Each structure stands twice: as structure tokens, then as C-alpha cells.
Amino acid sequence: MKRWVSAAIAVWLAPGAASAQGLDVAIAHSYLSAKSLGQPATFFLVGAEHEPTLSEIDGSILLRGGWGASGFWETGARALAGSARTKPERVYGAVARATWDLDPVGLTIASEYEADGSFAVEKGVLSAELTPQGGPRGLGRPWNRTVPFRWRPWLGAGVGNVFDASGSEDPERDSFFRAYTRLEATYTPTHWDIGAEGTLWAVEGSVGTRSHARGTVGFEIASGVSFDVTGEIGRQPPSFLYEQSFKMGFGFHHPFERGTKPPPANR
């Protein structure tokens, strides 16, 4: 399994490492799509009377490099963990992907590793995603951050393999097919960061669909640091366990800043 993940990341890194555009790095709450959604990595403390104080952290780090005249590659890792979550509720992942501007659509090809906190559920997924480009104000290119309100729909499909035995609630077994659609939106007036994303998966078997939605409202209190209120509901990979939560805590966001996005003519 580790050799499979390492090989997949190496395949994606090889062309990007040769790029003359250098590397850029971003830190945020997730790396779900080839996007610049802007929701921060978050840290929460959860406490109750006569109960120990628990913590939760949701964050990712993503590296990006240029790929040809109209594309870029990305690779990174994500963790949704902490003592406030049981091991089956935790999410770990690694991704390697490439995105191309194929006007009128953007295309992303990705290889991803998914695991829960106890590593009782481990999966590898190869997927492709499409999103329209141009059109209504705020849609633009997937990497466009030139307007305060941005929204983007994605349509994707993937094939995967369960490396380790899944939990009893996991609808995916052995080799599987997964189709999904995602809608993400963000509004970033001065000192505020308001974002939401929702995903609907169609999975094999008699289960049908799984969905997950998350919204974050953040107020910047220092450069890159914010106070955040987050709510989420639904099920997400790898285990598709149901969760419903409302939290307040602190966030940190470092967006892509350097010139590793496609050239201006392709934005």
C-alpha cells in the first residue's frame, strides 16, 4: 500500500519538479478540489462540565508547481483528527493531482489515499473532475481569486480499491466505483472569510448516495489568523460515518501566493 501511494505521488511530482516556475505552498482546512476556496485550517477546544477538554484540528498542506502553458500539479496531505474524535471518525489523506485549462472546462486528474484514524479503513482512488469555466461573475477559472464572491461546481468520478477491511458501515468494498458532484462557494469581504461546500457521492451497492456539507465563518484577527465558527453535517470518505457538529475556535490560512498558477492569459 505505501509503495502504491509513494509511486503515485512520484509520478505526479516528476514533471512538476522540472518546472521553471518553482514551488508554492498553501495551508487550509482541506484540499478537496483544485480550488482556492480560502477556508482556514482550524483548531477547536471542546469542553463540558465535569468532562476533560478535548481538541480537534482540521488542516492540510498543499504544494503546487507549474505544468506546461496551461496546467499545474499539486500534492499534499490532510488530517482531520484530535481527541474530540474517535479513531473511526478521524480522516487522513494524501493527494497528487494535475489540472489543465481546456477551455471551456477545467480538467483535474487525481490519485488519492484515504484512511481513518485507526487505519482499519484504507483506500486508494484514481479520479477525474470537470468544472465549467467562464460564465457568471465569480465562476471564472478554478484558481481565480480576483472577485470577493466565488463559486464553483465540480463533477467527478473515480475508481478505487480498499486496501484494508472496511468497517461495517462503509458502503464500499474491494474494488469500487464512486461518482460525485460538489458545489463550493466563498465570500471574502475585508477581514471576513465566509465559505461553504457540499458534496454528494453515488456509491456502489444498495446504499445509493452519501452527502456532506460544511460551512465556515471566519473573522481575521491577525495576518492569516482568524476566529472561526464552523458547522458540518453528513458523511464523508473514507468510512462515511455520520457526523453533525457546530464549533468555535481559531483558524490559520496561507493561500497560494507565488507565480505557480497558469499564466495570466489562462486565468
Side-chain angles (χ1 to χ4, degrees):
M1 179 272 296
K2 293 181 179 179
R3 290 194 299 270
W4 187 93
V5 176
S6 300
I9 293 177
V11 168
W12 288 117
L13 279 176
S19 170
Q21 298 185 50
L23 286 175
D24 197 4
V25 61
I27 298 173
H29 90 273
S30 77
Y31 51 53
L32 283 180
S33 287
K35 62 174 175 58
S36 298
L37 186 58
Q39 293 184 11
T42 50
F43 175 75
F44 301 102
L45 292 175
V46 183
E49 188 176 4
H50 306 305
E51 296 289 340
T53 299
L54 306 177
S55 64
E56 177 182 304
I57 185 168
D58 187 0
S60 72
I61 183 169
L62 194 63
L63 300 177
R64 174 183 287 180
W67 195 335
S70 60
F72 54 89
W73 61 266
E74 297 170 309
T75 186
R78 180 195 178 197
L80 171 56
S83 56
R85 287 179 170 265
T86 64
K87 286 186 176 181
E89 294 173 329
R90 299 172 191 174
V91 178
Y92 298 107
V95 68
R97 65 179 174 228
T99 297
W100 294 272
D101 182 354
L102 305 177
D103 194 21
V105 299
L107 170 65
T108 296
I109 305 296
S111 171
E112 188 166 5
Y113 167 73
E114 305 170 345
D116 69 354
S118 61
F119 294 93
V121 178
E122 295 183 89
K123 300 177 182 179
V125 184
L126 296 174
S127 62
E129 296 183 343
L130 284 174
T131 185
Q133 300 188 144
R137 177 175 174 84
L139 188 57
R141 299 296 195 256
W143 44 88
N144 190 338
R145 295 181 59 88
T146 60
V147 293
F149 174 73
R150 302 185 301 279
W151 64 279
R152 177 154 301 281
W154 292 87
L155 182 64
V159 293
N161 185 69
V162 178
F163 298 131
D164 287 349
S166 297
S168 59
E169 293 191 40
D170 185 4
E172 295 174 325
R173 296 289 188 274
D174 301 324
S175 298
F176 60 86
F177 173 80
R178 178 193 295 173
Y180 55 94
T181 181
R182 177 179 296 118
L183 179 65
E184 55 197 25
T186 186
Y187 179 54
T188 52
T190 304
H191 300 300
W192 288 90
D193 190 348
I194 304 169
E197 61 185 23
T199 307
L200 177 67
W201 292 272
V203 297
E204 289 185 309
S206 59
V207 176
T209 61
R210 288 286 187 261
S211 61
H212 183 268
R214 171 184 173 126
T216 296
V217 177
F219 180 77
E220 185 178 37
I221 56 179
S223 179
V225 180
S226 59
F227 176 77
D228 285 80
V229 177
T230 294
E232 57 187 314
I233 186 172
R235 303 171 184 266
Q236 61 180 320
S239 300
F240 292 100
L241 296 176
Y242 180 78
E243 59 180 310
Q244 180 178 347
S245 64
F246 182 81
K247 296 162 288 190
M248 292 183 290
F250 292 95
F252 176 76
H253 177 229
H254 175 74
F256 288 116
E257 293 178 344
R258 295 171 51 191
T260 55
K261 304 176 184 69
N266 293 306
R267 290 184 187 176

